């Protein structure tokens, strides 16, 4: 079960970073970003450190505000955040054609919320790849609580250089995790390598849309807010994403911005004016209350110094995502289904 109480939030603050080092880690993290004098190439060359610092600092807040699934999904009228995310996870499983006993790779699995739901839904054996020690430790707790320790596991590793043999998995998915990669083709190529021939990869990606104008200062400022608030080295366009899938070797079955399919947009939870009892932390009163709680916890030394600054850059993320979504220059739900082709000899022999 996801953490929800304020004391749990305080204990989770900083992840595996020593509490006395949280403030300095925040300072190091923000300096990677354009809004604080950083540069894109520096973020790309230090992508692993950037992502690790981000998730050590942000995971506690994510669990407090979003539960165990750190991703967006469009929705229908009346659906809760939990219902939207579960339905989206089922969509991924169905697109991959998952069946009982299949070996599946979750690339950049977070603390395992989607992994647990997809494993239950499909009765598959899922390995979650993650490079963050704190998230892996939290994920193991969640898998144990869910009774899925025999069905699911975690593997520590960099998705740009996976510690996995070629042709290992029968399906793979990346649920809004690969935006942390410094090179799209590089991470997609690694997924291609570990996937068996003829099998499918479901990619749910954060992308800039065709409406993004790189000469527009406002667009660039929104992009920078999202990168700061979400630990990203850069944000690629939808066209670059599809091209990188092709260049990695995948046969692209289809590609679509799923944000176009739903009346309730993926960014609705970022709107502080939206009233919601099930996502109270995201509303304006909820944000005011959370900020006050974090200030008090830090003042009383229950939460480490730097906690308020973490909350502030996460609010930058919310503002950037909301503006980017509303203006149509950014989507959190660009979906691509790719297939690793069979070799000629495998086609002749009827191998799958």
């Amino acid at each position: 079960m996801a953490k929800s109480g304020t004391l749990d939030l305080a204990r989770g603050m900083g992840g595996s970073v020593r509490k006395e080092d949280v403030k300095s880690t925040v300072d190091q993290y923000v300096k990677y970003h354009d809004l604080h004098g950083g540069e894109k190439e520096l973020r790309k060359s230090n992508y692993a450190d950037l992502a690790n610092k981000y998730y050590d600092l942000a995971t506690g807040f994510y669990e407090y505000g979003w539960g165990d699934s750190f991703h967006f999904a469009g929705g229908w009228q009346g659906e809760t955040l939990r219902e939207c995310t579960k339905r989206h996870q089922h969509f991924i499983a169905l697109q991959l054609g998952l069946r009982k006993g299949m070996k599946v790779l979750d690339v950049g699995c977070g603390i395992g919320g989607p992994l647990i739901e997809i494993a239950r839904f499909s009765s598959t054996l899922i390995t979650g790849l993650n490079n963050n020690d704190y998230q892996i430790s939290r994920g193991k707790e969640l898998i144990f609580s869910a009774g899925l320790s025999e069905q699911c596991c975690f593997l520590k590793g960099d998705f740009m250089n996976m510690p996995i043999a070629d042709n290992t998995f029968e399906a793979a998915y990346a649920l809004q995790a690969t935006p942390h990669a410094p090179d799209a083709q590089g991470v997609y190529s690694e997924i291609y390598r570990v996937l068996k021939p003829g099998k499918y990869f479901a990619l749910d990606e954060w992308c800039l849309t065709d409406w993004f104008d790189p000469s527009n200062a406002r667009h660039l400022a929104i992009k920078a807010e999202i990168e700061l608030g979400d630990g990203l080295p850069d944000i690629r366009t939808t066209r670059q994403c599809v091209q990188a899938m092709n260049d990695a070797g995948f046969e692209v079955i289809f590609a679509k911005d799923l944000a176009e399919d739903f009346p309730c947009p993926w960014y609705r939870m970022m709107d502080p004016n939206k009233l919601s009892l099930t996502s109270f932390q995201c509303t304006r009163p909820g944000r005011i209350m959370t900020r006050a709680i974090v200030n008090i916890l830090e003042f009383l030394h229950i939460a480490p110094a730097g906690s308020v600054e973490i909350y502030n850059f996460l609010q930058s993320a919310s503002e950037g995502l909301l503006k980017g979504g509303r203006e149509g220059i950014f989507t959190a739900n660009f979906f691509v289904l790719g297939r690793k082709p069979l070799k000629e000899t495998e086609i002749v022999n009827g191998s799958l």
Side-chain angles (χ1 to χ4, degrees), residues 23-35:
K23 177 65 169 66
S24 63
T25 302
V26 173
D27 293 340
Q28 293 164 24
Y29 169 77
V30 298
K31 287 178 182 177
Y32 273 123
H33 293 278
D34 293 355
L35 295 176

Side-chain angles (χ1 to χ4, degrees), residues 207-224 235-237 324 327-330:
C207 289
L208 300 170
T209 71
D210 288 343
W211 293 103
F212 177 79
D213 179 359
S215 65
N216 185 311
R218 175 173 170 77
H219 289 188
L220 290 173
I222 292 171
K223 177 177 180 286
I235 307 175
R236 61 193 64 97
T237 67
E327 297 191 20
I329 65 171
F330 173 85

Side-chain angles (χ1 to χ4, degrees), residues 278-337:
T278 57
S279 302
F280 176 72
Q281 295 94 328
C282 299
T283 65
R284 190 174 301 280
R287 291 184 183 190
I288 292 171
M289 183 179 296
T290 300
R291 184 185 295 276
I293 289 171
V294 175
N295 268 292
I296 292 169
L297 291 173
E298 184 172 330
F299 177 77
L300 295 175
H301 303 290
I302 297 171
S307 297
V308 175
E309 291 177 72
I310 300 171
Y311 184 77
N312 288 339
F313 74 65
L314 290 176
Q315 288 309 298
S316 175
S318 295
E319 293 162 10
L321 290 166
L322 181 60
K323 288 183 283 190
R326 281 177 169 172
E327 297 191 20
I329 65 171
F330 173 85
T331 178
N333 280 133
F334 186 65
F335 182 80
V336 185
L337 183 66

Side-chain angles (χ1 to χ4, degrees), residues 14 17 20 47 147 156 193 207 211 215 252 322 331 333 343:
V17 176
E20 59 267 31
Y47 69 92
K156 180 174 170 59
R193 179 182 66 79
C207 289
W211 293 103
S215 65
V252 174
L322 181 60
T331 178
N333 280 133
K343 297 177 182 178

